[in-house]
Amino acid sequence: MSPLHSYSIFLAIFMSIILQPSITSSQSHLCRSSCGDIPINYPFGIDDGCGSPYYRHMLICSDNNTKLELRTPSGKYPVKSISYSDPHLLVSDPFMWNCQDRDNFRPTRSFSIDSSTHFTVSPQNDYLFFNCDSEKVIVEPKPLFCERFPDRCDSSCDSSSYLCRHLPECGSALGSRVSCCSYYPKATQSLRLMLQNCATYTSVYWRSTGAGNAPYDQFPEYGIRVDFEFPVTTKCLLCQDTTKGGGVCGFDTRTQSFLCLCKQGNATTHCNDPVLVKHKHIGAVAGTVTAVSAAGAIGVGGGVFWYLRKVRAKAPVTCGVQSNENRIF
């Protein structure tokens, strides 16, 4: 191998190391804190590396930072609101029945959540099914049916449901020839089976007014409540502590290990970490190269070529055979 070729390889490897993004790059300013009018706080993040890795790529913010959606195996759903005090999201499904449809039922799909995630469909949801096949679905007033068949009570669809008689926001929008019943599926498979035998369905979530007189402080609203876990750790609390610098909890996108995202760089503990403060001037925005690194690369590259010229001037001609005189390493 010629000296020129060897030094070319050495320079390429050296430059690739120098030009790699700094692992101490600051990301806190890259974490958006809202999407539209919905606040985005821990454990969520709409930018990779922000929030908890448990919810990585689960929320999508599009349309110029105005539209927030939840990604699930059954599709993407608009997020109406997020509650962090009572951890849940309220999402809507455009495919579900609504008051404007009246008795013009459209084809729909069943909503589902990946059971391996830290999301769960809330038991506070009620599902209304319309025009079900009575030969394949038990459609009867639930109290009477449960008295007669207590072992099959969970599998019945309540035709005397309060919600069927008082459809939220639209009263009696359905004609007399349309049947309605209320049923809570215990699994996604149950929901799919119901939809195979019913014309369509919708979900109603019971929202609390905050008056504190449960259950009379609740009112029905169309939507799907999705509960989530709040994985607060000691590291995250320390990172968020304003007396410690007030960082943003995030994670390494390669290893998914915890990172405290700070203005001057990333830390493994908190933003006032002496190690981080000492090296705050070497941080750069991820994906960019500092002027010092670039200058160093150019300087080293120049030195390499200067030395290469010197070696070539003194090296004997060996017709491609490497000897002790022209050996590079």
Side-chain angles (χ1 to χ4, degrees):
M1 183 180 295
S2 68
L4 178 61
H5 190 193
S6 298
Y7 268 100
S8 297
I9 295 175
F10 168 76
L11 181 60
I13 295 173
F14 179 80
M15 290 294 288
S16 67
I17 295 173
I18 289 293
L19 297 179
Q20 282 183 346
S22 170
I23 60 172
T24 59
S25 300
S26 173
Q27 293 188 30
S28 63
H29 68 289
L30 299 177
C31 297
R32 285 172 285 176
S33 58
S34 65
C35 181
D37 58 355
I38 300 177
I40 305 298
N41 302 326
Y42 186 85
F44 296 126
I46 50 180
D47 300 295
D48 202 13
C50 304
S52 168
Y54 291 153
Y55 301 104
R56 188 179 187 183
H57 303 316
M58 300 294 288
L59 292 179
I60 309 166
C61 187
S62 57
D63 293 354
N64 294 321
N65 204 45
T66 60
K67 182 180 181 181
L68 185 65
E69 293 178 298
L70 172 67
R71 179 190 280 128
T72 80
S74 55
K76 293 187 294 185
Y77 300 89
V79 178
K80 301 169 66 175
S81 63
I82 300 178
S83 172
Y84 296 94
S85 57
D86 177 19
H88 73 271
L89 292 79
L90 184 61
V91 304
S92 61
D93 183 355
F95 287 88
M96 284 185 176
W97 179 89
N98 59 60
C99 293
Q100 288 70 37
D101 292 338
R102 303 186 71 83
D103 54 1
N104 297 316
F105 299 138
R106 300 168 294 150
T108 188
R109 62 187 179 188
S110 60
F111 177 83
S112 66
I113 286 289
D114 186 350
S115 59
S116 66
T117 67
H118 291 254
F119 284 118
T120 55
V121 178
S122 172
Q124 295 187 37
N125 296 314
D126 275 313
Y127 293 96
L128 301 181
F129 293 85
F130 304 104
N131 277 10
C132 297
D133 186 343
S134 58
E135 295 184 359
K136 297 180 179 179
V137 178
I138 301 172
V139 181
E140 286 195 35
K142 196 154 192 150
L144 296 176
F145 181 82
C146 291
E147 288 181 8
R148 298 198 312 271
F149 308 101
D151 57 326
R152 299 176 61 193
C153 184
D154 289 342
S155 63
S156 64
C157 193
D158 187 7
S159 60
S160 63
S161 165
Y162 170 85
L163 293 174
C164 283
R165 291 179 285 112
H166 304 87
L167 289 171
E169 302 176 12
C170 52
S172 56
L174 299 175
S176 58
R177 292 180 298 177
V178 177
S179 66
C180 170
C181 62
S182 176
Y183 173 72
Y184 181 77
K186 293 187 175 181
T188 301
Q189 182 64 22
S190 302
L191 182 57
R192 286 198 293 265
L193 289 174
M194 286 289 290
L195 277 177
Q196 290 177 9
N197 301 299
C198 301
T200 189
Y201 86 121
T202 192
S203 174
V204 176
Y205 155 63
W206 289 90
R207 178 185 288 276
S208 174
T209 62
N213 189 25
Y216 303 103
D217 63 341
Q218 296 180 332
F219 64 94
E221 181 177 312
Y222 291 108
I224 307 170
R225 172 174 166 142
V226 178
D227 296 336
F228 64 87
E229 296 178 17
F230 214 110
V232 176
T233 63
T234 303
K235 287 184 177 181
C236 183
L237 292 174
L238 184 64
C239 171
Q240 293 176 328
D241 189 346
T242 55
T243 63
K244 299 291 184 180
V248 176
C249 299
F251 59 93
D252 187 307
T253 56
R254 292 171 297 172
T255 65
Q256 297 198 31
S257 58
F258 175 82
L259 281 180
C260 184
L261 310 182
C262 312
K263 292 181 180 179
Q264 65 267 39
N266 297 340
T268 56
T269 54
H270 53 87
C271 295
N272 287 345
D273 187 337
V275 175
L276 179 61
V277 174
K278 180 179 178 181
H279 297 90
K280 67 179 180 180
H281 297 297
I282 68 171
V285 175
T288 64
V289 181
T290 63
V292 175
S293 297
I298 294 172
V300 172
V304 168
F305 284 115
W306 173 83
Y307 181 66
L308 177 60
R309 291 182 62 185
K310 184 177 179 181
V311 169
R312 290 190 63 186
K314 295 182 178 180
V317 177
T318 59
C319 300
V321 178
Q322 193 175 55
S323 67
N324 288 331
E325 285 86 1
N326 72 352
R327 186 179 301 276
I328 296 175
F329 299 107

